[in-house]
Amino acid sequence: MSENDFGDFIACVPHEIEADWHEKWGPLLAGFPLNIVFAQTAESDQNEIIGITACYEPDLATFRETEKTRKMTYFNRDGGTYCVRVVVDRASGRLETFKYKGEKLVARATGRDFESAMVHTTLIGIEKDEPVKVIR
């Protein structure tokens, strides 16, 4: 779990990509999240509750598959050096995620199925220097 200066955690479990999502990419990317959103609430300087989100989208150019795994990297849509690598085990379908700041691993999560893996991933939360959107 990472340390942050933000408030309460909000779970944002993404949709799982299905094989029929896209003619070419659907069968290759089935089992991956459509996106990954970290979200939290905090109190502003004006004592109002605000939402804070960091949204990561897949970079299809990073998709790689081996005999044992399929993997793809998701980048923060607001820029910065943070990214999330998602690895799917071909045999079990189990997902594992790795959140990096540049080359430095800052968090890792997994789960017994897609939903639990994504809940554990979003529990990682937002790093204090991660690019975010503020929702008022």
Side-chain angles (χ1 to χ4, degrees):
M1 192 78 96
S2 62
E3 290 187 29
N4 59 58
D5 293 335
F6 299 123
D8 296 327
F9 158 77
I10 300 171
C12 295
V13 177
H15 290 284
E16 182 176 353
I17 296 175
E18 301 289 337
D20 63 357
W21 170 70
H22 184 274
E23 187 177 321
K24 175 185 176 184
W25 291 104
L28 291 171
L29 303 180
F32 281 93
L34 189 57
N35 63 18
I36 300 170
V37 177
F38 300 96
Q40 295 176 214
T41 61
E43 192 171 315
S44 73
D45 295 337
Q46 293 80 31
N47 294 325
E48 63 183 354
I49 300 298
I50 58 173
I52 300 153
T53 64
C55 181
Y56 288 76
E57 297 177 333
D59 179 353
L60 300 180
T62 66
F63 175 78
R64 301 288 182 270
E65 59 183 333
T66 68
E67 203 173 286
K68 294 184 179 185
T69 63
R70 295 180 302 129
K71 48 181 108 171
M72 187 164 48
T73 302
Y74 291 63
F75 291 98
N76 189 315
R77 93 165 76 168
D78 294 311
T81 61
Y82 283 92
C83 68
V84 178
R85 182 166 300 127
V86 178
V87 179
V88 179
D89 181 275
R90 283 180 164 284
S92 67
R94 188 178 179 101
L95 271 78
E96 193 168 18
T97 61
F98 303 87
K99 188 174 187 179
Y100 293 92
K101 179 180 181 183
E103 298 292 319
K104 181 184 176 196
L105 179 65
V106 294
R108 175 180 169 265
T110 192
R112 69 184 177 281
D113 55 25
F114 179 85
E115 188 171 312
S116 65
M118 291 297 101
V119 167
H120 289 130
T121 296
T122 57
L123 274 171
I124 292 167
I126 299 171
E127 299 290 324
K128 57 186 166 190
D129 62 343
E130 191 169 351
V132 296
K133 288 259 190 248
V134 175
I135 303 164
R136 296 189 181 274

